[in-house]
Amino acid sequence: MTSTLPKIHQTMLEQVQNKVAADQRFLALLAGGSYLHGGFDAHSDLDLVIVVNGSDYDAVMKTRKEFAASIGSLLAAFTGEHVGEPRLLICLYGPDLSGPADPTALLHVDLKFVTLHGLGDMVETPAIVWSRDTRAETAIAQANVRWPNMPPGWFEDRFWIWVHYGATKLARGELYEAMGMLGFLREQVLGPLVHARGGRPQRGIRRVEEASPEWAVRLRATVPDHSADAVLASLKAAIAIYRELREPAGIASPAEAPVTAFIGNL
């Protein structure tokens, strides 16, 4: 798989592999995301998992930014609590990876540090880039691998509350807040349901333009300009699209009628 990577990704992957292999605290280097699913281009992230010896884990976690800095020209890094993943270090690397021909090239790399036990539950089966022995392979073979798809009722319970929240921001004249809520609805509800309609994992709004171009065109109606009329029209469009995506489930919340009446009075 690595032979198909863009040069900047290939170079980084080799540098990470060399660092991991040279450190006895590390058991394996795994890769997920686009490395598994394809679609790599110059703007893709590298999603890497570093498997750490259990007895060394605390020490590694305390010095993981130093480890990240040792790989290349680290520009910035922060941990992933905002996505519920404190084991994750989100890194941005500078242009030295691509050489002098492209001094503006940057690379986003996610480094997640786990123990063998941490491989027990995963959203996808990672590729083994390098392994010190067979323990990581065994752990992956025994893992519970499940993408966290949500059932229709999960969306129904939330959608009308979120729509109402956006509508109250519109009523107050907080247009940027309301526009932000429309983006949130695309990410958390409409995008996942579009992917589900296509039989794909509910990966937010990721790559919906290429996976479901017809729905991508329809979702344009949920992207307003900065005016009250446009935001109101986009909220109504979001409701119409949601109802169509929800239809096969045959469910309806008691909140639907009063929320739509509230929006109708704006």
Side-chain angles (χ1 to χ4, degrees), residues 61-81:
M61 291 295 279
K62 289 177 182 177
T63 59
R64 54 187 162 159
K65 286 190 178 181
E66 289 83 348
F67 173 82
S70 74
I71 296 168
S73 66
L74 182 67
L75 300 176
F78 64 94
T79 52
E81 286 84 359

Side-chain angles (χ1 to χ4, degrees), residues 152-172:
W154 186 94
F155 298 101
E156 184 70 10
D157 288 343
R158 290 158 176 77
F159 179 77
W160 300 106
I161 295 174
W162 286 338
V163 167
H164 175 257
Y165 183 84
T168 61
K169 300 309 176 187
L170 170 60
R172 190 181 287 161

